[in-house]
Amino acid sequence: MNLLRVFLLFATLLIYAMTVIASLSEGINWPSVAINDLMAFNWRSQFDTDFLIYLFLGATWITWREGFTPKGHFFAFLSVFLGGMFSFPYLLLATFQADGDPRKILLGIHFTRDCDAPGSDQ
């Protein structure tokens, strides 16, 4: 778990640094850049499409993990529009809230102590 936490901390710092560098060199109009890349129908379009699908999949998991609450929907919105800038710290915090238990991290509010009961299929 400590290795995952170190990775998430490193990834968070890296993505924030890259965002600052990109903003300084390209400006903050990222939607224009992203749409132009998507509409070019080249390898960058393929990568961006793959990444968008991944973002929506991650947002769906976050919404489910939070129990489809307003907080969960808000977190999903942030995960799509901020990507790793939100998702990496979210996961890092989740590792601490779950005391390092992977089941608690993955299941969120759906985790119950019943998962540990003998004969449980969960």
Side-chain angles (χ1 to χ4, degrees):
M1 190 57 54
N2 286 334
L3 185 60
L4 175 62
R5 289 174 176 161
V6 168
F7 172 78
L8 289 170
L9 182 60
F10 174 76
T12 299
L13 296 173
L14 179 62
I15 197 64
Y16 272 90
M18 291 299 296
T19 301
V20 169
I21 292 167
S23 296
L24 292 173
S25 67
E26 300 288 327
I28 59 171
N29 191 14
W30 63 265
S32 174
V33 174
I35 291 170
N36 288 335
D37 280 354
L38 283 170
M39 301 313 285
F41 297 106
N42 55 24
W43 281 113
R44 287 175 76 162
S45 305
Q46 187 276 340
F47 178 83
D48 290 351
T49 301
D50 185 304
F51 183 59
L52 275 173
I53 293 167
Y54 175 78
L55 287 174
F56 284 116
L57 179 63
T60 302
W61 171 70
I62 288 173
T63 305
W64 174 81
R65 183 182 183 279
E66 295 290 338
F68 295 102
T69 61
K71 178 176 92 170
H73 292 296
F74 180 65
F75 285 174
F77 174 82
L78 290 176
S79 74
V80 169
F81 284 95
L82 295 178
M85 291 173 52
F86 173 79
S87 298
F88 301 154
Y90 173 83
L91 281 172
L92 182 60
L93 180 61
T95 67
F96 288 104
Q97 290 174 335
D99 297 320
D101 185 339
R103 295 173 300 169
K104 289 180 185 177
I105 296 167
L106 292 172
L107 296 174
I109 68 161
H110 303 283
F111 178 82
T112 64
R113 298 240 180 250
D114 294 338
C115 293
D116 294 330
S120 174
D121 291 336
Q122 296 180 353

